[in-house]
């Protein structure tokens, strides 16, 4: 913990100075080494500074002679659940500590280069992060000041496209990034892509053997993973698209399998009917992870209805121990309706559904656990006058071991030329989820955005949250203040044509 005299707004943490310096140097080198005036380079940047206030949980103790109850049900005089071990003279519990704040900053830089040769282009995206002020240790990845998120070169010639470097794959199986190569063949409505390389941990830009993954996982893989995959898709017209995917991850020494998955998804639109479906299979365990279908029918120009069905079983890679805890799956059925008010810029949407959970095999010491769940949501938007937008929504979701409800109201004034100002009111409850066990958190805030120059935009928001407790037992206090300031900018010209140059993204 730094001295209080060093935690003011004028104190810049060392890690932020280092990460900012790296990003500035990388951006300067990129811009200096490329001829922007030749209109074959485009650099975009996004700078985000946030202000986050919270009350961390701290450990406290109370004399064992003052608690009431036995075992897991012991309570302190203030009502806290306490843990008494053996014949210890003190029992311990957690509660909200004093408020702390931090101001994390994220700097993104994206560089796209084309015109080097026919159908040749390069693309890179860099991210720097740090904490400008406040408690640096509370920010995730504070010790990882920068990431190379994407960096590849590609050649697109006619029906073929080759790409090599750090890239990503987004499909029905989720988000996968890897260091390797891919080849895409397009002909008519058909396309086939094969790809492979060193696999990175999902949601991160580092191998599974990295220290960042070891910080949150007790057992981590001993070897890196090699990813190989293939995708076949067919789109004969604008109303039909089908895609099949196979993907396999193995240890680089070929002594083990991390995952093997199959995916199939598609959409068909004919007249007033649209059907969307997907299937995901864990081929290694011969288990169906996901099967869903959604059908929507437009009854009138202003009215549409839909039905959905879903079967979900959680997926875990074979190296992690979490799959051994028999995660609970569910079957879900839902319906939705959307109505556009005739002659007005107003929309009303309603959705609802019901879930049936598998046997949870959990202890019922604290009470019975429900085997069914349900959800309902209502949203509406209207434009009562030119330049005004009013949005409101409410939703509640009751599940196996947790429940939540959300409500929000937002009024936005559009000032023209990509400028707006708005105010919002929101409230939410989280039963056990995120530890807001009792009471309601209410937030009131404002946001604004406007364009400073044709390629520079500034946006910001500030929200005050207040936790109103309910019930006799104390609850962690989630009262806090959150704000953000974001600047987006672009240097360089737009590509003249995305066709045949490989600049499509």
């Amino acid at each position: 913990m730094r001295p209080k005299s060093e935690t003011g707004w004028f104190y810049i943490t060392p890690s932020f100075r280092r990460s900012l310096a790296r990003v500035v140097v990388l951006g300067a080198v990129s811009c200096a080494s490329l001829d922007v005036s030749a209109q074959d380079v485009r650099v975009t940047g996004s700078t985000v500074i946030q202000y986050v206030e919270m009350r961390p949980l701290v450990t406290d103790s109370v004399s064992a002679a003052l608690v009431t109850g036995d075992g897991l049900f012991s309570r302190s005089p203030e009502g806290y659940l306490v843990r008494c071990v053996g014949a210890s003279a003190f029992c311990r519990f957690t509660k909200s500590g004093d408020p702390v704040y931090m101001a994390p900053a994220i700097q993104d830089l994206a560089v796209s280069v084309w015109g080097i040769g026919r159908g040749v282009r390069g693309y890179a995206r860099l991210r720097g992060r740090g904490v400008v002020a406040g408690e640096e240790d509370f920010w995730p990845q504070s010790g990882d000041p920068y990431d190379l998120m994407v960096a590849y070169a590609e050649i697109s010639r006619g029906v073929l496209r080759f790409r090599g470097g750090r890239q990503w794959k987004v499909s029905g199986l989720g988000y996968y990034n890897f260091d390797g190569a891919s080849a895409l063949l397009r002909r008519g409505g058909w396309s086939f892509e094969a790809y492979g390389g060193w696999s990175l941990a999902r949601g991160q830009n580092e191998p599974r053997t990295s220290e960042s993954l070891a910080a949150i996982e007790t057992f981590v893989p001993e070897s890196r993973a090699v990813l190989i995959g293939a995708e076949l898709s067919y789109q004969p017209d604008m109303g039909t698209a089908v895609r099949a995917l196979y993907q396999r991850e193995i240890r680089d020494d070929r002594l083990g399998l991390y995952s093997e998955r199959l995916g199939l998804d598609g959409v068909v639109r004919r007249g007033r009917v649209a059907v969307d479906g997907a299937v995901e299979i864990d081929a290694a365990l011969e288990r169906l992870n996901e099967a869903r279908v959604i059908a929507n029918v437009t009854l009138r120009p202003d009215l549409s209805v839909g039905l959905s069905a879903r079967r979900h079983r959680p997926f875990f890679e074979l190296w992690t121990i979490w799959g051994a805890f028999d995660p609970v799956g569910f079957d879900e059925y839902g319906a939705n309706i959307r109505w556009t008010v005739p002659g007005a810029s107003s929309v009303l949407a309603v959705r609802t559904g019901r879930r049936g959970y598998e046997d949870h095999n959990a202890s019922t010491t604290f009470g019975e656990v429900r085997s069914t769940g349900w959800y309902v949501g209502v949203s509406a938007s209207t434009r009562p006058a030119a330049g005004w937008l009013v949005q409101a929504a409410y939703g509640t979701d009751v599940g196996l071991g947790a429940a939540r409800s959300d409500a929000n109201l937002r009024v936005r004034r559009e000032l023209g030329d990509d400028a707006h100002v708005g105010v919002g009111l929101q409230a939410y409850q989280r039963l056990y989820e995120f530890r807001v066990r009792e009471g309601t958190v209410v937030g009131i805030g404002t946001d604004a955005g406007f364009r400073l120059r044709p390629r520079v935009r500034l946006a910001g928001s500030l929200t005050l949250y207040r936790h109103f407790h309910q019930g006799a037992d104390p609850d962690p206090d989630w009262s806090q203040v959150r704000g953000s300031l974001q600047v987006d900018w672009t240097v360089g010209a737009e590509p003249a044509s995305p066709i045949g140059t490989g600049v499509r993204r």
Side-chain angles (χ1 to χ4, degrees), residues 75-132:
R75 291 185 181 274
S76 70
E78 294 83 8
Y80 288 103
L81 285 173
V82 300
R83 184 170 181 263
C84 305
V85 180
S88 175
F90 292 93
C91 301
R92 290 176 171 78
F93 61 96
T94 58
K95 66 177 184 178
S96 296
D98 295 331
V100 299
Y101 80 91
M102 56 186 168
I106 296 177
Q107 174 64 65
D108 283 351
L109 280 176
V111 182
S112 184
V113 185
W114 66 97
I116 305 172
R118 187 170 65 89
V120 179
R121 81 150 177 155
Y123 180 79
R125 183 175 179 184
L126 310 155
R127 170 168 291 178
R129 65 173 70 87
V131 176
V132 179

Side-chain angles (χ1 to χ4, degrees), residues 71-351:
L72 297 174
F73 298 97
S74 299
R75 291 185 181 274
S76 70
E78 294 83 8
Y80 288 103
L81 285 173
V82 300
R83 184 170 181 263
C84 305
V85 180
S88 175
F90 292 93
C91 301
R92 290 176 171 78
F93 61 96
T94 58
K95 66 177 184 178
S96 296
D98 295 331
V100 299
Y101 80 91
M102 56 186 168
I106 296 177
Q107 174 64 65
D108 283 351
L109 280 176
V111 182
S112 184
V113 185
W114 66 97
I116 305 172
R118 187 170 65 89
V120 179
R121 81 150 177 155
Y123 180 79
R125 183 175 179 184
L126 310 155
R127 170 168 291 178
R129 65 173 70 87
V131 176
V132 179
E135 301 299 330
E136 182 176 358
D137 295 338
F138 281 95
W139 187 248
Q141 294 185 303
S142 60
D144 188 8
Y146 67 97
D147 277 330
L148 179 61
M149 303 179 68
V150 181
Y152 61 78
E154 77 174 27
I155 301 176
S156 183
R157 297 287 181 84
V159 299
L160 294 175
R161 188 202 71 191
F162 299 96
R163 180 181 292 175
R166 175 160 293 186
Q167 50 192 296
W168 68 88
K169 181 65 179 176
V170 181
S171 68
L173 298 180
Y175 177 99
Y176 285 83
N177 50 351
F178 62 96
D179 295 329
S182 64
L184 174 66
L185 170 64
R186 294 181 290 248
R187 182 176 291 275
W190 292 90
S191 67
F192 175 77
E193 183 179 15
Y195 55 92
W198 296 104
S199 177
L200 304 176
R202 298 182 68 184
Q204 299 186 16
N205 291 283
E206 298 181 8
R208 290 176 177 79
T209 56
S210 67
E211 294 181 358
S212 60
L213 188 61
I216 58 175
E217 288 282 356
T218 304
F219 305 99
V220 296
E222 300 176 351
S223 302
R224 294 193 63 177
V226 176
L227 171 70
I228 57 173
E231 178 182 304
L232 178 65
S233 62
Y234 178 58
Q235 186 174 359
D237 53 60
M238 296 299 296
T240 304
V242 182
R243 177 173 56 177
L245 179 71
Y246 171 80
Q247 199 163 267
R248 179 183 178 93
E249 291 180 281
I250 60 176
R251 287 172 54 124
D252 59 358
D253 55 12
R254 300 184 181 180
L255 295 180
L257 179 67
Y258 285 152
S259 69
E260 187 175 17
R261 307 182 70 190
L262 296 168
L264 177 66
D265 59 82
V267 59
V268 177
R269 294 184 176 90
R270 291 292 182 270
R272 297 185 177 184
V273 180
V275 180
D276 188 343
V279 175
E280 300 172 23
I281 299 174
D282 185 345
L285 297 179
E286 298 181 353
R287 177 183 299 171
L288 177 68
N289 293 130
E290 184 86 13
R292 62 182 181 272
V293 60
I294 303 172
N296 286 287
V297 180
T298 302
L299 301 178
R300 300 192 314 240
D302 63 335
L303 181 65
S304 65
V305 297
L307 297 174
S308 64
R310 180 186 182 195
R311 183 175 180 85
H312 174 76
R313 302 296 180 271
F315 165 76
F316 293 97
E317 295 181 346
L318 297 178
W319 64 267
T320 178
I321 195 174
W322 293 108
F325 289 94
D326 193 20
V328 177
F330 60 83
D331 297 326
E332 179 182 284
Y333 303 94
N336 67 81
I337 183 170
R338 179 184 177 88
W339 179 45
T340 302
V341 179
S345 300
S346 302
V347 178
L348 175 65
V350 180
R351 64 182 185 89

Side-chain angles (χ1 to χ4, degrees), residues 460-487:
S461 65
L462 181 65
T463 305
L464 171 65
Y465 295 93
R466 178 69 183 274
H467 188 178
F468 295 94
H469 296 275
Q470 296 175 358
D473 298 336
D475 203 24
D477 191 351
W478 280 78
S479 299
Q480 57 185 266
V481 178
R482 295 205 175 196
S484 69
L485 183 65
Q486 179 171 344
V487 180

